[in-house]
Amino acid sequence: MSKAFDKVNHYGLYLKLMKRNIPHQFLMVLINWYSKCYAAVRWNGVFSRVFDISCGVRQGGVLSPILFAVYVDDIIVNLRESQLGCSINGVYIGCVMYADDLLLMSASLTSLQNMISICELEAQYLDMKFNASKSMVLRIGRSYKQLCVGLTVSGSNLPYVDKAKYLGVFLSAGRQFKTSLSEAICKFYKSVNSILSKAKGHMDEMVLLNLFEAHCKPLGLLVYACECFAFTKSEYARLTNAWNRIFWKLFKVSDSNCLRDIFLYAGCLPLQADIDKR
Protein backbone atom coordinates (compact mmCIF):
# COMPACT_ATOMS: atom_id res chain seq x y z
CA MET A 1 0.00 0.00 0.00
CA SER A 2 1.31 3.47 -0.91
CA LYS A 3 2.41 5.59 2.08
CA ALA A 4 0.05 3.56 4.23
CA PHE A 5 1.08 4.72 7.71
CA ASP A 6 1.07 8.37 6.61
CA LYS A 7 -2.47 8.18 5.20
CA VAL A 8 -4.35 6.87 8.23
CA ASN A 9 -7.26 9.27 8.73
CA HIS A 10 -7.47 10.13 12.41
CA TYR A 11 -11.28 10.45 12.46
CA GLY A 12 -11.68 7.17 10.61
CA LEU A 13 -9.36 5.54 13.14
CA TYR A 14 -11.42 6.90 16.05
CA LEU A 15 -14.62 5.49 14.51
CA LYS A 16 -13.08 2.05 14.08
CA LEU A 17 -11.82 2.09 17.68
CA MET A 18 -15.33 3.09 18.89
CA LYS A 19 -16.80 0.09 17.05
CA ARG A 20 -14.42 -2.11 19.05
CA ASN A 21 -15.72 -0.58 22.30
CA ILE A 22 -12.30 0.48 23.57
CA PRO A 23 -12.25 2.33 26.93
CA HIS A 24 -13.41 5.94 26.66
CA GLN A 25 -10.38 7.21 28.59
CA PHE A 26 -7.95 5.59 26.17
CA LEU A 27 -9.80 7.03 23.18
CA MET A 28 -9.67 10.53 24.69
CA VAL A 29 -5.92 10.19 25.26
CA LEU A 30 -5.45 9.28 21.59
CA ILE A 31 -7.67 12.14 20.39
CA ASN A 32 -5.76 14.59 22.60
CA TRP A 33 -2.45 13.20 21.39
CA TYR A 34 -3.18 13.27 17.67
CA SER A 35 -4.92 16.67 17.82
CA LYS A 36 -1.55 18.20 18.75
CA CYS A 37 0.43 17.08 15.73
CA TYR A 38 2.03 19.98 13.85
CA ALA A 39 4.66 20.37 11.17
CA ALA A 40 6.49 22.99 9.14
CA VAL A 41 8.48 22.90 5.92
CA ARG A 42 12.07 24.15 5.76
CA TRP A 43 13.33 25.36 2.38
CA ASN A 44 16.77 26.96 2.02
CA GLY A 45 16.86 27.72 5.73
CA VAL A 46 13.42 29.39 5.72
CA PHE A 47 10.49 27.83 7.61
CA SER A 48 6.87 27.86 6.47
CA ARG A 49 3.96 28.55 8.77
CA VAL A 50 3.06 25.72 11.16
CA PHE A 51 0.13 23.58 10.01
CA ASP A 52 -1.94 20.77 11.54
CA ILE A 53 -1.39 17.11 10.62
CA SER A 54 -4.80 15.46 10.40
CA CYS A 55 -3.72 12.03 9.22
CA GLY A 56 -0.97 9.46 9.74
CA VAL A 57 0.35 7.45 12.66
CA ARG A 58 3.94 7.89 13.78
CA GLN A 59 6.26 5.40 12.08
CA GLY A 60 8.42 3.77 14.73
CA GLY A 61 5.86 4.37 17.47
CA VAL A 62 4.99 1.45 19.74
CA LEU A 63 1.24 1.84 19.16
CA SER A 64 1.40 2.65 15.45
CA PRO A 65 1.41 -0.92 14.04
CA ILE A 66 -1.54 -1.85 16.28
CA LEU A 67 -3.54 1.23 15.32
CA PHE A 68 -2.80 0.64 11.64
CA ALA A 69 -3.89 -3.01 11.96
CA VAL A 70 -7.20 -1.86 13.44
CA TYR A 71 -7.61 0.69 10.65
CA VAL A 72 -7.17 -1.82 7.78
CA ASP A 73 -8.63 -4.90 9.48
CA ASP A 74 -11.83 -4.71 7.43
CA ILE A 75 -9.80 -5.69 4.35
CA ILE A 76 -9.08 -9.06 5.96
CA VAL A 77 -12.62 -9.37 7.35
CA ASN A 78 -14.19 -8.76 3.93
CA LEU A 79 -11.87 -11.26 2.25
CA ARG A 80 -12.60 -13.93 4.87
CA GLU A 81 -16.35 -13.39 4.57
CA SER A 82 -16.15 -13.69 0.78
CA GLN A 83 -14.61 -17.18 1.18
CA LEU A 84 -12.39 -16.49 -1.82
CA GLY A 85 -8.85 -17.83 -1.75
CA CYS A 86 -7.18 -20.70 0.05
CA SER A 87 -8.20 -22.50 3.24
CA ILE A 88 -6.60 -25.34 5.20
CA ASN A 89 -8.85 -27.53 7.38
CA GLY A 90 -11.46 -24.78 7.47
CA VAL A 91 -8.93 -22.09 8.47
CA TYR A 92 -8.88 -19.18 6.03
CA ILE A 93 -5.36 -18.38 4.78
CA GLY A 94 -6.24 -16.57 1.56
CA CYS A 95 -4.93 -13.32 3.02
CA VAL A 96 -1.74 -12.76 4.99
CA MET A 97 -1.03 -9.20 6.04
CA TYR A 98 1.94 -7.76 7.91
CA ALA A 99 1.76 -3.97 8.36
CA ASP A 100 1.07 -2.65 4.83
CA ASP A 101 2.38 -5.73 2.98
CA LEU A 102 -0.52 -7.82 1.70
CA LEU A 103 -0.21 -11.37 0.36
CA LEU A 104 -3.20 -12.98 -1.40
CA MET A 105 -3.32 -16.72 -2.13
CA SER A 106 -5.77 -18.41 -4.46
CA ALA A 107 -5.94 -21.50 -6.65
CA SER A 108 -8.04 -19.60 -9.20
CA LEU A 109 -7.13 -16.49 -11.18
CA THR A 110 -10.77 -15.40 -11.26
CA SER A 111 -10.98 -15.63 -7.48
CA LEU A 112 -7.68 -13.79 -7.14
CA GLN A 113 -8.90 -10.90 -9.30
CA ASN A 114 -12.11 -10.73 -7.23
CA MET A 115 -10.01 -10.65 -4.06
CA ILE A 116 -7.97 -7.77 -5.48
CA SER A 117 -11.22 -5.92 -6.24
CA ILE A 118 -12.42 -6.40 -2.65
CA CYS A 119 -9.11 -4.99 -1.37
CA GLU A 120 -9.29 -2.02 -3.74
CA LEU A 121 -12.87 -1.20 -2.72
CA GLU A 122 -12.01 -1.16 0.98
CA ALA A 123 -8.79 0.78 0.33
CA GLN A 124 -10.79 3.39 -1.57
CA TYR A 125 -13.10 3.73 1.44
CA LEU A 126 -10.01 4.21 3.64
CA ASP A 127 -8.58 6.78 1.18
CA MET A 128 -5.64 4.51 0.44
CA LYS A 129 -4.21 3.03 -2.72
CA PHE A 130 -2.25 -0.07 -3.67
CA ASN A 131 1.11 0.48 -5.33
CA ALA A 132 0.91 -1.39 -8.63
CA SER A 133 4.62 -0.92 -9.35
CA LYS A 134 5.49 -2.92 -6.22
CA SER A 135 2.86 -5.61 -6.73
CA MET A 136 3.35 -8.86 -8.65
CA VAL A 137 2.04 -12.38 -9.25
CA LEU A 138 3.97 -15.53 -8.35
CA ARG A 139 2.74 -18.94 -9.50
CA ILE A 140 3.38 -22.21 -7.65
CA GLY A 141 2.13 -25.57 -8.92
CA ARG A 142 2.40 -28.04 -11.76
CA SER A 143 1.13 -25.52 -14.34
CA TYR A 144 3.26 -22.59 -13.22
CA LYS A 145 4.84 -22.16 -16.68
CA GLN A 146 1.61 -22.15 -18.69
CA LEU A 147 0.40 -18.86 -20.15
CA CYS A 148 -2.68 -17.37 -18.52
CA VAL A 149 -4.66 -14.16 -18.41
CA GLY A 150 -3.29 -11.07 -16.69
CA LEU A 151 -4.43 -9.52 -13.42
CA THR A 152 -4.87 -5.82 -12.70
CA VAL A 153 -4.66 -3.56 -9.66
CA SER A 154 -5.49 0.14 -9.70
CA GLY A 155 -5.95 -0.12 -13.47
CA SER A 156 -2.40 -1.43 -14.04
CA ASN A 157 -1.39 -4.91 -15.18
CA LEU A 158 0.47 -7.04 -12.66
CA PRO A 159 3.65 -8.74 -13.93
CA TYR A 160 4.21 -12.47 -13.53
CA VAL A 161 7.61 -12.98 -11.86
CA ASP A 162 9.98 -15.87 -11.15
CA LYS A 163 10.89 -14.50 -7.72
CA ALA A 164 9.11 -12.32 -5.21
CA LYS A 165 10.36 -10.88 -1.93
CA TYR A 166 8.01 -11.02 1.04
CA LEU A 167 9.10 -10.03 4.56
CA GLY A 168 12.76 -10.48 3.71
CA VAL A 169 12.38 -13.90 2.06
CA PHE A 170 12.64 -14.52 -1.68
CA LEU A 171 9.98 -16.99 -2.84
CA SER A 172 10.43 -18.78 -6.17
CA ALA A 173 7.91 -19.78 -8.81
CA GLY A 174 7.95 -23.54 -9.36
CA ARG A 175 6.17 -26.84 -9.00
CA GLN A 176 6.53 -26.67 -5.20
CA PHE A 177 6.70 -23.97 -2.54
CA LYS A 178 10.36 -23.07 -2.10
CA THR A 179 12.71 -20.20 -1.47
CA SER A 180 15.56 -18.73 -3.51
CA LEU A 181 18.85 -19.01 -1.63
CA SER A 182 21.08 -16.97 -3.97
CA GLU A 183 20.01 -13.56 -2.62
CA ALA A 184 20.30 -14.67 1.00
CA ILE A 185 23.79 -16.15 0.55
CA CYS A 186 24.92 -13.04 -1.35
CA LYS A 187 23.64 -10.82 1.47
CA PHE A 188 25.40 -13.05 3.99
CA TYR A 189 28.75 -12.68 2.20
CA LYS A 190 28.29 -8.89 1.99
CA SER A 191 27.72 -8.61 5.73
CA VAL A 192 30.73 -10.85 6.45
CA ASN A 193 32.99 -8.80 4.19
CA SER A 194 31.72 -5.59 5.76
CA ILE A 195 32.82 -6.78 9.22
CA LEU A 196 36.16 -8.08 7.93
CA SER A 197 36.91 -4.76 6.20
CA LYS A 198 36.45 -2.91 9.50
CA ALA A 199 38.38 -5.48 11.54
CA LYS A 200 41.54 -5.17 9.41
CA GLY A 201 43.29 -7.95 11.31
CA HIS A 202 42.96 -6.24 14.71
CA MET A 203 40.23 -8.49 16.16
CA ASP A 204 40.54 -11.88 17.77
CA GLU A 205 39.09 -14.81 15.82
CA MET A 206 36.52 -15.59 18.51
CA VAL A 207 35.36 -11.96 18.60
CA LEU A 208 34.86 -12.04 14.83
CA LEU A 209 33.08 -15.37 15.05
CA ASN A 210 30.65 -13.96 17.63
CA LEU A 211 30.01 -10.96 15.38
CA PHE A 212 29.29 -13.25 12.43
CA GLU A 213 27.01 -15.39 14.60
CA ALA A 214 25.05 -12.36 15.85
CA HIS A 215 24.89 -10.14 12.75
CA CYS A 216 25.56 -12.16 9.59
CA LYS A 217 23.86 -15.46 10.24
CA PRO A 218 20.35 -14.03 10.83
CA LEU A 219 20.58 -11.46 7.99
CA GLY A 220 20.49 -13.95 5.15
CA LEU A 221 18.31 -17.05 5.01
CA LEU A 222 21.04 -19.08 6.68
CA VAL A 223 18.74 -19.24 9.71
CA TYR A 224 16.22 -16.42 9.09
CA ALA A 225 12.77 -17.95 8.47
CA CYS A 226 14.38 -21.38 8.06
CA GLU A 227 11.56 -22.88 10.13
CA CYS A 228 9.18 -22.27 7.20
CA PHE A 229 11.00 -24.40 4.63
CA ALA A 230 11.89 -28.05 4.12
CA PHE A 231 15.35 -27.79 2.55
CA THR A 232 16.66 -30.41 0.14
CA LYS A 233 20.13 -31.97 0.54
CA SER A 234 21.56 -29.66 -2.11
CA GLU A 235 20.08 -26.58 -0.40
CA TYR A 236 21.51 -27.69 2.95
CA ALA A 237 24.88 -28.12 1.22
CA ARG A 238 24.79 -24.58 -0.22
CA LEU A 239 23.93 -23.03 3.12
CA THR A 240 26.47 -25.14 5.01
CA ASN A 241 29.19 -24.29 2.53
CA ALA A 242 28.55 -20.56 2.97
CA TRP A 243 28.73 -20.84 6.78
CA ASN A 244 31.82 -23.10 6.77
CA ARG A 245 33.74 -20.64 4.59
CA ILE A 246 33.91 -18.32 7.60
CA PHE A 247 35.81 -20.95 9.58
CA TRP A 248 38.08 -21.75 6.65
CA LYS A 249 38.97 -18.07 6.40
CA LEU A 250 39.29 -17.33 10.12
CA PHE A 251 41.12 -20.45 11.26
CA LYS A 252 42.91 -21.33 7.99
CA VAL A 253 41.51 -24.88 7.91
CA SER A 254 39.58 -26.91 5.33
CA ASP A 255 39.52 -30.39 6.86
CA SER A 256 36.09 -31.50 8.15
CA ASN A 257 37.62 -33.02 11.31
CA CYS A 258 39.26 -29.69 12.14
CA LEU A 259 35.92 -27.95 11.62
CA ARG A 260 34.23 -30.27 14.13
CA ASP A 261 36.92 -29.48 16.69
CA ILE A 262 36.46 -25.74 16.09
CA PHE A 263 32.68 -26.03 16.46
CA LEU A 264 33.22 -27.82 19.78
CA TYR A 265 35.79 -25.25 20.94
CA ALA A 266 33.63 -22.28 19.91
CA GLY A 267 30.46 -23.76 21.39
CA CYS A 268 28.45 -23.39 18.18
CA LEU A 269 26.47 -25.90 16.15
CA PRO A 270 27.09 -26.85 12.52
CA LEU A 271 24.60 -24.94 10.39
CA GLN A 272 22.40 -27.90 9.48
CA ALA A 273 22.12 -28.93 13.13
CA ASP A 274 21.23 -25.33 14.03
CA ILE A 275 18.48 -25.25 11.38
CA ASP A 276 17.13 -28.67 12.45
CA LYS A 277 17.06 -27.51 16.07
CA ARG A 278 15.07 -24.42 15.10
Side-chain angles (χ1 to χ4, degrees):
M1 301 176 76
S2 299
K3 303 185 183 298
F5 275 64
D6 296 330
K7 296 193 70 176
V8 174
N9 184 284
H10 291 167
Y11 301 105
L13 177 62
Y14 303 151
L15 288 172
K16 288 181 178 291
L17 290 171
M18 289 178 195
K19 288 180 180 178
R20 290 172 176 266
N21 297 318
I22 70 159
H24 176 259
Q25 294 87 344
F26 177 68
L27 180 63
M28 294 308 298
V29 168
L30 276 182
I31 293 174
N32 183 273
W33 187 18
Y34 281 117
S35 65
K36 296 176 181 177
C37 294
Y38 307 100
V41 177
R42 185 176 68 177
W43 183 264
N44 288 334
V46 179
F47 287 89
S48 71
R49 64 176 179 82
V50 175
F51 53 88
D52 296 334
I53 299 177
S54 59
C55 61
V57 290
R58 292 180 174 88
Q59 294 204 31
V62 176
L63 269 180
S64 297
I66 300 172
L67 295 177
F68 180 78
V70 171
Y71 189 69
V72 300
D73 187 56
D74 283 339
I75 292 177
I76 302 174
V77 171
N78 293 341
L79 286 170
R80 185 169 59 235
E81 290 178 351
S82 72
Q83 289 299 306
L84 296 172
C86 297
S87 297
I88 296 180
N89 292 332
V91 179
Y92 183 71
I93 60 162
C95 170
V96 178
M97 194 170 191
Y98 184 84
D100 58 341
D101 289 325
L102 182 63
L103 178 69
L104 302 179
M105 288 179 283
S106 174
S108 161
L109 283 174
T110 302
S111 296
L112 188 56
Q113 184 62 70
N114 290 335
M115 293 169 73
I116 292 173
S117 299
I118 291 173
C119 294
E120 287 184 302
L121 186 63
E122 181 61 26
Q124 185 179 2
Y125 174 73
L126 298 174
D127 192 26
M128 289 189 172
K129 187 178 179 181
F130 288 98
N131 191 341
S133 64
K134 292 185 178 180
S135 302
M136 61 207 68
V137 185
L138 183 78
R139 301 178 66 196
I140 299 172
R142 288 179 296 178
S143 306
Y144 78 100
K145 286 186 177 181
Q146 292 184 5
L147 294 176
C148 56
V149 297
L151 299 171
T152 61
V153 61
S154 302
S156 301
N157 292 324
L158 292 177
Y160 285 85
V161 297
D162 295 327
K163 295 178 184 178
K165 185 179 180 181
Y166 187 68
L167 303 183
V169 177
F170 282 89
L171 304 176
S172 297
R175 294 176 64 87
Q176 296 179 327
F177 177 69
K178 62 180 181 179
T179 181
S180 173
L181 298 179
S182 300
E183 294 80 6
I185 292 174
C186 181
K187 189 174 181 181
F188 170 73
Y189 283 141
K190 285 182 179 178
S191 58
V192 168
N193 289 331
S194 176
I195 291 176
L196 289 175
S197 66
K198 293 177 176 62
K200 296 180 180 178
H202 302 306
M203 287 188 184
D204 179 79
E205 288 87 350
M206 293 306 299
V207 173
L208 285 171
L209 186 58
N210 284 322
L211 286 173
F212 296 148
E213 183 90 28
H215 297 284
C216 305
K217 205 181 198 181
L219 281 178
L221 194 69
L222 300 187
V223 293
Y224 174 68
C226 64
E227 301 88 347
C228 304
F229 302 97
F231 294 121
T232 62
K233 288 184 178 180
S234 62
E235 289 172 332
Y236 267 128
R238 290 184 64 192
L239 294 172
T240 300
N241 181 64
W243 180 239
N244 287 350
R245 282 179 180 273
I246 289 180
F247 296 88
W248 299 339
K249 188 174 184 65
L250 280 182
F251 300 98
K252 306 295 189 295
V253 297
S254 58
D255 182 75
S256 58
N257 292 323
C258 292
L259 277 180
R260 282 196 291 268
D261 293 338
I262 293 172
F263 285 141
L264 183 62
Y265 171 73
C268 61
L269 291 171
L271 189 71
Q272 183 169 345
D274 191 0
I275 292 175
D276 291 341
K277 181 182 177 183
R278 288 168 181 265

